[in-house]
Amino acid sequence: MAFSAAELRVLRRALATALHPTPLSDEDVQDVLRLAGSVDEAVSEAGRLRAFLLADLARYRAALPAAAPGYLELLQDALAAGYQPVPDDLVALRTLRHLPVGLALLRRCQVVAELSLRARLAGRSVAPAPRTRLLALPGGRAADEPRPKEPVPDRVPGRPMPKPSEVFPPRRRPVPPPEEWAAG
């Protein structure tokens, strides 16, 4: 995840406030809440992408052995992202162990599956804990308080919203000086 320069400034202010609690201005609270919303949206988008990739992996697994190169590549990427192989993956990899990549992935998946099983038997959660919502900031407003509405830009009544071409006119090419116009 990457942050813009403005988001980093907000994050720095929020961390400084967390370390040295001081009252926050309404603008700072709104900035932090917007940043938290952006992070939540990015996490949600990552979840949707993960679901899509897992469905794609299942489609490739179902099309084996014809889809072996694509399946092995997707499985490598999924394992790098923290994917826990399912029994169907192990069965599929056993059929592909004649390939060098298939054999290496089978060994890797067996180790990951064994560690995952041991963690579950020991009562530890394998999946990361879900991120909790930001409820309140020291010196700021609680999340259950009504949020102020975003300010509506002032517009002249009866005048439509300007088009982008009116606000940002096209760049014109510079006109050459008259000396270059003369035919020689």
Side-chain angles (χ1 to χ4, degrees), residues 154-172:
D154 293 333
R155 288 185 19 200
V156 177
R159 185 170 188 274
M161 187 67 75
K163 297 179 196 172
S165 61
E166 295 171 346
V167 177
F168 305 104
R171 296 184 73 190
R172 307 275 184 226

Side-chain angles (χ1 to χ4, degrees), residues 42-97:
V43 168
S44 172
E45 184 63 29
R48 284 193 295 272
L49 178 62
R50 179 179 169 83
F52 171 78
L53 292 176
L54 292 180
D56 207 20
L57 185 65
R59 279 193 296 276
Y60 273 83
R61 186 175 47 240
L64 286 174
Y71 172 72
L72 294 173
E73 184 179 330
L74 281 175
L75 185 58
Q76 282 179 331
D77 293 344
L79 287 171
Y83 173 67
Q84 300 291 323
V86 295
D88 288 341
D89 290 317
L90 297 173
V91 170
L93 287 171
R94 285 187 189 107
T95 64
L96 299 173
R97 67 178 161 217

Side-chain angles (χ1 to χ4, degrees), residues 30 33 133-134 141 143 145-149:
Q30 291 303 315
L33 291 174
R133 295 278 305 148
L134 177 66
R141 273 184 283 214
E145 290 183 21
R147 294 183 182 173
K149 295 190 178 194

Side-chain angles (χ1 to χ4, degrees), residues 174-184:
V175 179
E179 297 89 38
E180 293 180 12
W181 286 356

Side-chain angles (χ1 to χ4, degrees), residues 78-80 82-86 90 104-120 126:
L79 287 171
Y83 173 67
Q84 300 291 323
V86 295
L90 297 173
L105 275 176
L106 175 62
R107 289 181 180 151
R108 183 175 172 194
C109 284
Q110 286 173 333
V111 169
V112 170
E114 184 178 340
L115 291 174
S116 173
L117 179 64
R118 287 178 190 243
R120 277 186 271 142
V126 178

